[in-house]
Amino acid sequence: MHGPMVPDDIDYINDTPTIQEYKKLKRVMKIMTNFYVGGTSTKLEQAEFNEESVAKITENEEMIQAQLDSLKTFPIHPKRREYETELNEEKERLAFEKKKYVNKAAEFRSLYEWSGGIVKVTKWLEDGLDDYCVNHLKMDLGFEVTPRPQLSREEYSSFKQGLDEITYNLQESQDFFSASLDGRLRQYHTIEKNLILAQIETVTKFPEENPRRAQILFELEQDLEYVSKNMVEDPASMAKRKKMLEMHSDFFKVLRWYREKMKALGDEYGIVDPDKRSDEEKIKSAMSSQVDFMANLTPENTPELEELKKLNLEQH
């Protein structure tokens, strides 16, 4: 996508775009919007899955409590003690399991709401391009656009913050896909897999009748299955990762254009960004622990690494 410079390359976007450049901006913004729309849907599915899991566990907890309550009317019979012991142990296990689902549900629900806000920003940018080109630059695009009302300072700050967050989020995403192609993601998952295997080996040394042993082994085996799936690197998955990186490269070029326009608008409004941190500092603070950890790993000399160099990925 980014070989010899040709007039159709996304690199060619002037401050005042031509009709051809306008079409490039629209095309990439549409892809970016769909990228975040898809991500938002996925986060909602993950939130709902975990919320449903919490609901199921809650129902089981209520069932256990009802059983315990039903035993209270009986004398302290040996069988009652046996049932109560088993039910209370199960209740503790469910509480432990429920806590994980509750945390995951809250995490994905928060991400879903954040992502929904980002979608609004990308759609605002996408739609605003028509207004900017037709009404501000007086370009003849073959259609009319109702002029947008001037943004309030609060609206400007909100959309600018959203645009910045998109940039930082895409930087993290780009770093992740880079790591997935240059071997660092494989190294990350290998460490994770070995951590799980070490725990499995340790736990299996304890008696089989230990209730915690069975529970922990079940969870560790689930983790092992998950990380093993993530370690699959077939040609199709590698091609998809490379395609995602190419898309990110285009996203950044378009975002740079939009950020320059937002900065000019901010100057016009006389708005000064109170956050004095550099972009690098902001990106660092927004980086996930996974991507941050992989930044310390050494890229491998893979064919994909050579392809990465050709992409000339931007840092923001």
Side-chain angles (χ1 to χ4, degrees):
M1 180 176 290
H2 299 288
M5 291 295 188
V6 293
D8 191 44
D9 192 274
I10 197 69
D11 287 317
Y12 287 88
I13 300 179
N14 296 308
D15 289 340
T16 303
T18 63
I19 291 180
Q20 185 180 9
E21 290 166 345
Y22 157 82
K23 291 179 179 178
K24 297 173 195 173
L25 286 165
K26 285 289 286 187
R27 171 176 58 83
V28 176
M29 277 307 303
K30 176 63 70 176
I31 295 172
M32 191 187 305
T33 298
N34 290 338
F35 174 78
Y36 277 105
V37 167
T40 302
S41 298
T42 299
K43 290 174 179 64
L44 178 59
E45 290 173 2
Q46 292 168 323
E48 290 177 340
F49 169 79
N50 284 281
E51 288 164 354
E52 289 169 4
S53 298
V54 170
K56 290 176 182 177
I57 293 175
T58 299
E59 185 177 43
N60 288 337
E61 287 177 323
E62 292 171 352
M63 188 188 306
I64 291 172
Q65 189 58 52
Q67 287 179 264
L68 287 169
D69 291 342
S70 72
L71 295 174
K72 292 178 181 178
T73 60
F74 293 90
I76 306 300
H77 187 282
K79 195 63 177 177
R80 172 182 166 178
R81 289 198 185 97
E82 180 183 333
Y83 280 136
E84 286 179 333
T85 299
E86 292 175 353
L87 289 169
N88 281 314
E89 286 178 352
E90 184 181 3
K91 190 176 180 180
E92 288 179 9
R93 289 197 299 271
L94 286 177
F96 177 77
E97 185 179 0
K98 182 179 180 179
K99 183 178 180 181
K100 293 194 296 183
Y101 282 116
V102 166
N103 291 339
K104 282 292 183 183
E107 176 187 350
F108 284 118
R109 179 60 65 176
S110 176
L111 286 172
Y112 163 71
E113 292 171 356
W114 174 86
S115 190
I118 293 301
V119 168
K120 290 180 181 178
V121 174
T122 58
K123 288 183 176 179
W124 177 80
L125 292 170
E126 184 182 352
D127 295 340
L129 179 62
D130 292 341
D131 176 45
Y132 177 74
C133 290
V134 172
N135 297 318
H136 183 73
L137 299 180
K138 307 302 180 184
M139 292 173 60
D140 182 10
L141 299 179
F143 55 85
E144 295 183 356
V145 178
T146 302
R148 287 185 167 190
Q150 180 172 316
L151 291 176
S152 66
R153 294 174 69 91
E154 291 74 18
E155 288 172 328
Y156 167 83
S157 297
S158 176
F159 283 119
K160 182 181 182 302
Q161 179 182 352
L163 180 56
D164 288 343
E165 287 185 9
I166 293 171
T167 303
Y168 307 144
N169 177 256
L170 285 175
Q171 180 66 62
E172 179 185 21
S173 182
Q174 175 179 272
D175 291 348
F176 173 84
F177 283 111
S178 294
S180 75
L181 289 171
D182 65 21
R184 287 180 292 135
L185 181 60
R186 186 189 313 114
Q187 296 172 37
Y188 178 89
H189 282 144
T190 298
I191 295 171
E192 185 177 353
K193 182 178 181 180
N194 290 335
L195 281 167
I196 297 169
L197 290 173
Q199 290 185 79
I200 290 176
E201 182 181 357
T202 299
V203 173
T204 52
K205 293 177 181 178
F206 287 81
E208 291 187 14
E209 59 271 18
N210 185 309
R212 184 179 183 277
R213 179 187 190 273
Q215 178 66 26
I216 295 300
L217 279 179
F218 174 74
E219 294 173 5
L220 288 171
E221 285 164 0
Q222 283 188 316
D223 290 344
L224 182 61
E225 180 182 2
Y226 180 77
V227 74
S228 296
K229 287 181 179 178
N230 284 334
M231 294 180 74
V232 174
E233 294 184 343
D234 55 69
S237 65
M238 298 300 280
K240 182 178 180 180
R241 293 171 182 177
K242 184 173 181 292
K243 180 64 177 176
M244 290 300 295
L245 268 179
E246 292 173 341
M247 287 170 52
H248 278 57
S249 183
D250 283 352
F251 290 168
F252 275 126
K253 293 181 176 72
V254 170
L255 285 174
R256 181 179 58 200
W257 187 85
Y258 274 107
R259 293 182 79 192
E260 288 171 354
K261 296 294 167 289
M262 287 295 283
K263 183 180 183 305
L265 185 60
D267 292 342
E268 182 181 324
Y269 285 4
I271 297 176
V272 178
D273 189 352
D275 191 343
K276 301 304 180 184
R277 293 178 300 165
S278 66
D279 278 353
E280 183 178 3
E281 290 172 324
K282 293 175 183 177
I283 290 170
K284 180 71 173 177
S285 67
M287 199 73 72
S288 70
S289 58
Q290 179 186 21
V291 173
D292 189 38
F293 181 86
M294 289 192 295
N296 298 312
L297 300 177
T298 303
E300 299 172 6
N301 188 21
T302 63
E304 290 79 16
L305 180 58
E306 295 305 313
E307 291 296 320
L308 282 177
K309 294 176 181 177
K310 296 177 184 178
L311 287 177
N312 190 28
L313 299 176
E314 299 188 14
Q315 299 294 318
H316 297 261

